[in-house]
Amino acid sequence: MTVATTLSFVIRSLCQRMVPPAMIYVVSRKTIWRLCFVCMLGSAFGLVSAVLSARSAHAQPEGSFLSRFDNGDPLPDGWQISNFAVRSPGLRTAWTRNAVSSGGLKGMPLELRLYPAPAESDKKFFGGQVQRQRRTHYGHYEVEMTAGRGNGVISSFFTYTGPYFGDPHDEIDFEFLGRDTTKVWVNRFAKGERLPGKWIDLGLDAAAGPNVYAFDWLPDRIIWFVNGREIYRIEAKDRVLPDIPGRIYFDIWTGGRGQTNWAGWADQSTESLAKYYCISYRLPHEQAPSCSDERSSTVQSDE
């Protein structure tokens, strides 16, 4: 039911209840409809105020949370699976619900797959993406995940907002390139400007099993971590930092010719899989559970 339909229904119901039939014999029809008009205005303002208040609350950055994806339950509250395609030749992947699956058993993670799309599709590949429904802002972010392998394959964890949400492009990234999963690409966008990213040696193979990747996003700095070890930082005194609340995303995809030098090229038979066990967000200076506090007991190789 649309807002307009609901409003109309409420107005008619209130008018009918507030003007009983008996009044028709003592009050003119004109007076009755004046009363109804007053009732309609009050109802309309009340309903619009309630709708706007609900939207405003949803737009506000949310508080700390922890979501486990490996406990056998459905997708936790607050997340949604993407089902769309970006109309750009620079992205050869369309997001589809069919590329996101859970084993349904305790200990089995959420799996995002990348695989060839059917011939009738406008895109060459289908991939999985999950996004947070509400925004987050400054704080400590963690993901426990296993990256996908394959030339041209990118699996990621990041915050994002941009023109679709009425904002300049702000973003903070962990991007794992399947052509060499012993490294990670860390990057950020601020006010629509793509700022220099950096290759970081991990000292491990991100595709061999789950690890905890984290970043602190604060007004004066961003710090990236792997299994609690700092690997890179940037500070506001030296570089522009993103400062607009965004949404958390994680996905697997492959790019176009423009990303070949960066990520490599995925041929048409490419398939890959990224696994996600846990994601957490903690407000600055707040004591709240994080993925690293209850690290998955699955530490053996996923190979």
Side-chain angles (χ1 to χ4, degrees), residues 1 5 7 11 18 25 88 103 117 131-132 152 174 179 190 196 208 213 222 249 288:
M1 182 180 290
T5 304
L7 181 59
I11 290 171
M18 291 186 67
Y25 297 99
S88 167
Q131 57 180 285
R132 193 72 181 167
F174 270 106
R179 69 177 186 177
Y213 305 93
I222 303 172
Y249 290 77

Side-chain angles (χ1 to χ4, degrees), residues 176-248:
F176 300 88
L177 306 189
R179 69 177 186 177
D180 184 356
T181 51
T182 65
K183 296 179 174 66
V184 67
W185 178 259
V186 297
N187 195 18
R188 83 282 187 211
F189 290 72
K191 304 296 186 294
E193 181 183 357
R194 177 183 295 181
L195 303 169
K198 187 174 181 63
W199 279 108
I200 305 291
D201 284 310
L202 291 170
L204 54 84
D205 185 351
N211 293 278
V212 175
Y213 305 93
F215 60 83
D216 284 335
W217 177 20
L218 299 169
D220 63 341
R221 63 191 182 275
I222 303 172
I223 310 173
W224 286 262
F225 304 87
V226 176
N227 293 331
R229 173 176 57 90
E230 180 180 332
I231 59 170
Y232 189 58
R233 74 163 58 202
I234 54 175
E235 299 186 356
K237 64 181 181 180
D238 304 317
R239 305 284 180 85
V240 178
L241 301 182
D243 59 6
I244 304 172
R247 288 168 171 79
I248 298 172

Side-chain angles (χ1 to χ4, degrees), residues 14 22-23 35 39 46 48 67 69 80 97 101 136 144 173 178 191 193 211 215 221 241 253 259 263:
L14 287 172
M23 287 186 64
L35 290 171
C39 165
V48 169
S67 297
F69 304 107
Q80 66 185 44
R97 296 185 183 94
S101 62
T136 50
E144 184 180 2
D173 295 292
K191 304 296 186 294
E193 181 183 357
N211 293 278
F215 60 83
R221 63 191 182 275
L241 301 182
W253 57 286
Q259 286 100 8

Side-chain angles (χ1 to χ4, degrees), residues 49-201:
S49 177
V51 170
L52 292 178
S53 296
R55 287 181 178 177
S56 176
H58 194 266
Q60 293 300 312
E62 66 176 318
S64 304
F65 69 84
L66 182 146
S67 297
R68 289 220 68 93
F69 304 107
D70 60 353
N71 54 12
D73 295 332
L75 192 69
D77 290 342
W79 297 96
Q80 66 185 44
I81 298 172
S82 299
N83 196 63
F84 68 94
V86 177
R87 294 186 180 278
S88 167
L91 187 66
R92 295 193 295 156
T93 306
W95 313 121
T96 174
R97 296 185 183 94
N98 293 332
V100 179
S101 62
S102 173
L105 298 173
K106 190 173 180 61
M108 298 187 69
L110 191 70
E111 296 182 341
L112 306 189
R113 294 187 299 126
L114 178 76
Y115 56 94
E120 62 270 19
S121 174
D122 292 335
K123 298 293 185 178
K124 297 298 184 182
F125 293 91
F126 283 161
Q129 182 186 80
V130 179
Q131 57 180 285
R132 193 72 181 167
Q133 293 173 331
R134 291 185 61 186
R135 295 173 182 251
T136 50
H137 201 195
Y138 296 129
H140 182 74
Y141 295 74
E142 290 190 356
V143 60
E144 184 180 2
M145 64 172 286
T146 300
R149 293 192 191 277
N151 199 38
V153 174
I154 303 105
S155 46
S156 62
F157 171 69
F158 61 102
T159 61
Y160 168 82
T161 192
Y164 179 82
F165 300 109
D167 298 320
H169 184 175
D170 268 20
E171 184 173 335
I172 303 172
D173 295 292
F174 270 106
E175 293 183 295
F176 300 88
L177 306 189
R179 69 177 186 177
D180 184 356
T181 51
T182 65
K183 296 179 174 66
V184 67
W185 178 259
V186 297
N187 195 18
R188 83 282 187 211
F189 290 72
K191 304 296 186 294
E193 181 183 357
R194 177 183 295 181
L195 303 169
K198 187 174 181 63
W199 279 108
I200 305 291
D201 284 310

